[in-house]
Amino acid sequence: MAKFDLETMVEVLKAVGEPTRLRLIALLSAGDLTVSDLTDILGQSQPRISRHLKLLSEAGLIDRYQEGAWAYFRLRDEGPPARLVRQILAHASLEDSALERDVARLAAVKQARAEKAEAYFAQHAGEWDQMRRLHISEAEVEECLVSLIGNKPVQNMLDLGTGTGRMLLLLKDVYRRAVGIDASRDMLAVARANLDAEGLTRAVVRLGDILNLPLESEDFDLVIVHQVLHFLENPDEAIAEAARVMRPGGRLAVIDFAPHDLEYLRADHAHLRLGFSHQAMEDWMQEAGLDVEKVIDLPFAAASEPSLTVTVWLARDPRRLVAGGNEKTFARSV
């Protein structure tokens, strides 16, 4: 069991030593919630909830993420204060009447989220089904990706253009922590509903620009870019940004289409690029400092009409950590 210094223990206990704040911590340990969600669950005013959240944030216990006009809060994953408060929560009685009510109301909030996400998904299901009919099944693509990545655990995974959060769910047994980034708040709502349904709290989704990620450099062991690059004018910049946030020895998996001539995808499905050649993708990866390890084409052999070939690229950051005094230094593998 982790040990904590006296100052940390006092500050954490002061921060959570109030019923509403402890209830907030318990709720935020279950995933992302807005102030509106929390006022509905706790039946307290918005100013009161906001004041408690400010105190918890100042104590280093929660994170705040802005998505347009909405702000989401979540119990922090890392750091001594967060570890201590998670131990406190582990000893809370699930039969406490206040916590029981909170859990029931939280379930209602998540159900409303799921219904809204389902409505959005149903609205666009036709166009997504049309795209899926053009290429090999998603199940076969996912099987190839899982086989390439393997089952060796990674600390941090990043899914760029997370969409419905499918990659976060598919690879949940591989990572300890994962972040999904998407530029669409509607898609993030779908992803959150899917994570809620799975009870997966080790993954979070955030609003962000794939070309200007709101993330620190060298923080991720595995980065996934699944069917995103063909929507971008400058996909090479996305590859470079993915490489920036990768740790030495980290891997990048890109799944997209091989070159094709289905011009109608530009107008009907907003595709800016009609696929990518092996050479173009490998050039971009090498320019970003990555070594290409594997490339697999997955043609749609059963198609009787024009179809798409899905390609999977796997690259690695060739740097490795080298012991060097009190600082981290890197060396290029040979």
Side-chain angles (χ1 to χ4, degrees):
M1 182 178 292
K3 303 295 183 181
F4 305 94
D5 62 76
L6 186 61
E7 183 177 354
T8 296
M9 292 179 66
V10 169
E11 290 302 315
V12 169
L13 292 174
K14 283 168 58 179
V16 300
E18 193 276 340
T20 296
R21 290 199 290 275
L22 193 53
R23 290 167 69 189
L24 285 170
I25 285 292
L27 289 166
L28 295 175
S29 70
D32 298 357
L33 294 169
T34 65
V35 172
S36 178
D37 293 333
L38 293 167
T39 57
D40 288 346
I41 293 169
L42 297 180
Q44 299 184 22
S45 69
Q46 187 266 337
R48 179 179 173 84
I49 295 296
S50 294
R51 185 168 62 253
H52 284 309
L53 291 172
K54 182 174 184 291
L55 291 171
L56 293 172
S57 180
E58 290 173 348
L61 294 174
I62 62 174
D63 286 319
R64 180 183 187 275
Y65 303 93
Q66 193 73 32
E67 287 187 13
W70 295 94
Y72 283 87
F73 297 84
R74 182 187 182 91
L75 181 61
R76 185 167 291 178
D77 290 319
E78 304 295 338
R83 289 197 296 273
L84 177 55
V85 83
R86 286 183 184 276
Q87 288 191 20
I88 293 172
L89 288 176
H91 292 280
S93 172
L94 298 179
E95 297 178 356
D96 179 89
S97 58
L99 294 180
E100 278 188 331
R101 286 194 302 273
D102 291 349
V103 169
R105 290 170 181 166
L106 174 62
V109 166
K110 290 188 173 183
Q111 179 61 30
R113 268 190 197 173
E115 291 171 357
K116 184 177 180 180
E118 185 177 346
Y120 174 81
F121 198 85
Q123 179 183 351
H124 296 273
E127 61 192 73
W128 292 332
D129 285 343
Q130 182 182 356
M131 279 298 305
R132 281 194 286 267
R133 286 194 292 269
L134 292 173
H135 59 79
I136 192 171
S137 73
E138 293 291 350
E140 292 173 278
V141 175
E142 292 175 359
E143 181 180 0
C144 175
L145 177 62
V146 169
S147 176
L148 271 181
I149 290 173
N151 56 12
K152 183 178 180 181
V154 300
Q155 184 75 6
N156 294 333
M157 187 186 94
L158 175 64
D159 182 26
L160 296 179
T162 194
T164 65
R166 175 57 189 163
M167 293 296 104
L168 301 175
L169 297 174
L170 177 69
L171 300 170
K172 64 181 180 181
D173 294 330
V174 172
Y175 59 79
R176 178 180 175 274
R177 168 182 168 268
V179 178
I181 299 289
D182 205 283
S184 166
R185 284 191 287 274
D186 289 324
M187 292 309 297
L188 289 176
V190 175
R192 281 198 179 93
N194 289 336
L195 295 177
D196 287 345
E198 191 73 16
L200 185 58
T201 60
R202 291 180 291 108
V204 300
V205 293
R206 298 286 172 257
L207 186 70
D209 179 359
I210 192 173
L211 302 181
N212 185 22
L213 295 171
L215 301 167
E216 297 295 328
S217 298
E218 299 178 352
D219 200 27
F220 294 91
D221 311 284
L222 176 63
V223 180
I224 308 292
V225 187
H226 179 256
Q227 297 291 14
V228 173
L229 295 184
H230 57 258
F231 292 112
L232 304 180
E233 188 69 44
N234 299 302
D236 56 319
E237 295 179 11
I239 296 294
E241 186 68 346
R244 179 185 69 80
V245 299
M246 288 168 58
R247 288 176 175 166
R251 293 177 295 167
L252 169 66
V254 173
I255 304 92
D256 219 294
F257 298 124
H260 61 85
D261 58 4
L262 302 184
E263 282 287 343
Y264 75 90
L265 294 182
R266 295 188 193 273
D268 294 353
H269 295 277
H271 289 207
L272 296 180
R273 306 295 290 260
L274 298 184
F276 305 97
S277 68
H278 290 188
Q279 191 61 55
M281 189 68 71
E282 290 170 24
D283 286 347
W284 292 335
M285 289 177 168
Q286 289 170 4
E287 288 171 8
L290 306 178
D291 289 345
V292 178
E293 292 190 334
K294 193 81 172 178
V295 182
I296 297 177
D297 286 324
L298 301 170
F300 192 14
S304 58
E305 298 180 358
S307 60
L308 300 172
T309 291
V310 176
T311 303
V312 183
W313 291 266
L314 185 67
R316 185 182 295 272
D317 185 326
R319 299 172 301 163
R320 55 188 174 84
L321 282 172
V322 177
N326 294 323
E327 297 182 356
K328 289 192 301 184
T329 57
F330 306 122
R332 191 175 182 86
S333 300
V334 295

